[in-house]
Amino acid sequence: MATPMQARAADPAGTARSDAIVEVRDICKRYGDLEALRGINLDFERGKLTTLLGPSGCGKTTLLKIIAGLVPATSGQIRINGRVVTGPGPERAFVFQDFALMPWATVLRNVGFGLELKGVPQAERHRIARHYIGEVGLSGFEEKYPHELSGGMRQRVGIARAFSVNADVLLLDEPFSAVDEQNRRKFQEDLLRLVDKERKTFLFVTHSIEEAVYVSDRIVLLSPRPGRVSQIIEPAIDRTAAPDVIRRDKGYLDVVEEIWQGLRQYAE
Ligand SMILES: Nc1ncnc2c1ncn2[C@@H]1O[C@H](COP(=O)(O)OP(=O)(O)OP(=O)(O)O)[C@@H](O)[C@H]1O
Ligand SMILES: [Mg+2]
């Protein structure tokens, strides 16, 4: 059985954690007149999955892109393993909403592309790529091209690519948004298995409250205009319980409801 879960409101400013891999300090972001993020302070630990949840436009993608080093912050600092971020780096891998695969390359080559850039020999590259293609349920599609895949399958190629480079930090921006409900549940379970096995730091974005509660060690609720941390919730799920037991657990359902109550004010 799943143990009862506690949702606890934490210090919205975020508390420093000694073993943090990713440190977000006083991040503010403006796009011209638009204030997208204000005063974000968060720490992310190894082996944990944190989900950013909040209404459209609250700055989730912006924060992930700042952490990825793809978008500069207006002020504040990101540190990864103690080093200040000034651009992208090999210790971070990402799957973004608008993430494009190379249309002229097979699934196998797309997944192994990060390794190709690092100069990993072909046999080793293919071995690693095939492993993660299997992990995301795409065995048999190695020689297909992106246009031969569905949107959900393309997202999974992106996930396999992110995993294959063996980065410390994985930034996953709505990686399951194009996946149907039955497969989505399977991927949530696959994701949990990878979190458990790989001991990496996961930052995840979803619009699904249920998905967030199911996969997360911690959920950061963001409020919009400007994007700010409004609440931090840690759903304590007993992961040894069967998925269908967890999904029916009263504690699980209570956390889903509590988050919905926190977000409903932003519904249009
Ligand atoms: N390159 C850009 N130039 C100008 N404004 C931008 C840019 N990127 C994002 N914004 C604005 O910043 C705000 C935050 O956008 P962002 O994409 O980070 O939100 P989000 O939380 O990821 O939303 P969604 O849930 O819809 O993906 C929005 O108001 C958006 O219009
Ligand atoms: Mg987004």
Side-chain angles (χ1 to χ4, degrees):
M1 285 293 288
T3 51
M5 282 177 267
Q6 304 117 27
R8 71 172 179 80
D11 170 15
T15 45
R17 293 173 191 237
S18 56
D19 47 357
I21 305 281
V22 180
E23 297 166 273
V24 175
R25 290 289 173 271
D26 294 321
I27 288 290
C28 298
K29 177 64 183 176
R30 287 186 157 278
Y31 293 107
D33 286 343
L34 184 117
E35 192 179 11
L37 293 171
R38 183 189 292 176
I40 307 290
N41 283 286
L42 291 165
D43 282 354
F44 301 91
E45 296 167 78
R46 183 182 294 282
K48 300 269 191 240
L49 187 149
T50 302
T51 295
L52 305 179
L53 194 65
S56 186
C58 71
K60 304 178 293 294
T61 297
T62 298
L63 182 57
L64 246 54
K65 286 193 168 166
I66 292 171
I67 295 170
L70 297 173
V71 163
T74 305
S75 61
Q77 199 177 60
I78 306 287
R79 289 194 294 268
I80 311 276
N81 290 321
R83 293 173 58 181
V84 175
V85 164
T86 53
E91 73 294 337
R92 282 158 287 154
F94 39 80
V95 180
F96 280 109
Q97 283 171 297
D98 52 6
F99 189 83
L101 300 174
M102 300 176 294
W104 41 267
T106 62
V107 166
L108 187 63
R109 181 136 189 235
N110 264 291
V111 172
F113 191 64
L115 299 169
E116 200 174 322
L117 291 180
K118 280 189 182 172
V120 175
Q122 192 187 65
E124 175 71 355
R125 212 160 73 210
H126 284 180
R127 188 188 64 73
I128 296 168
R130 284 182 198 284
H131 170 74
Y132 286 106
I133 289 169
E135 290 279 342
V136 299
L138 287 178
S139 292
F141 290 89
E142 291 83 353
E143 301 307 323
K144 300 279 187 216
Y145 289 84
H147 74 270
E148 299 176 274
L149 307 177
S150 70
M153 291 162 91
R154 283 199 287 271
Q155 285 185 321
R156 282 185 270 159
V157 174
I159 294 169
R161 171 148 97 190
F163 273 96
S164 66
V165 294
N166 195 25
D168 289 340
V169 180
L170 281 138
L171 306 165
L172 306 173
D173 193 0
E174 300 191 44
F176 306 143
S177 60
V179 176
D180 59 59
E181 184 62 26
Q182 54 276 32
N183 275 305
R184 197 163 173 148
R185 287 194 172 197
K186 185 186 163 291
F187 292 146
Q188 291 164 7
E189 282 148 32
D190 291 346
L191 177 64
L192 284 174
R193 204 182 58 243
L194 286 166
V195 174
D196 192 44
K197 243 184 9 198
E198 307 258 339
R199 299 280 305 150
K200 297 177 187 305
T201 304
F202 289 82
L203 274 73
F204 183 76
V205 173
T206 180
H207 276 283
S208 162
I209 299 173
E210 284 84 1
E211 180 165 277
V213 177
Y214 188 71
V215 301
S216 308
D217 296 296
R218 183 173 61 147
I219 299 169
V220 175
L221 294 189
L222 295 170
S223 59
R225 287 181 289 278
R228 280 197 279 198
V229 175
S230 67
Q231 204 184 346
I232 295 176
I233 290 164
E234 296 185 3
I237 293 187
D238 173 12
R239 305 257 185 237
T240 60
D244 56 327
V245 172
I246 294 174
R247 291 185 201 274
R248 269 185 258 132
D249 180 77
K250 181 165 186 311
Y252 163 85
L253 296 168
D254 284 349
V255 180
V256 169
E257 187 58 26
E258 183 192 329
I259 294 174
W260 164 237
Q261 293 305 333
L263 291 176
R264 70 182 305 162
Q265 58 183 305
Y266 307 117
E268 279 152 21

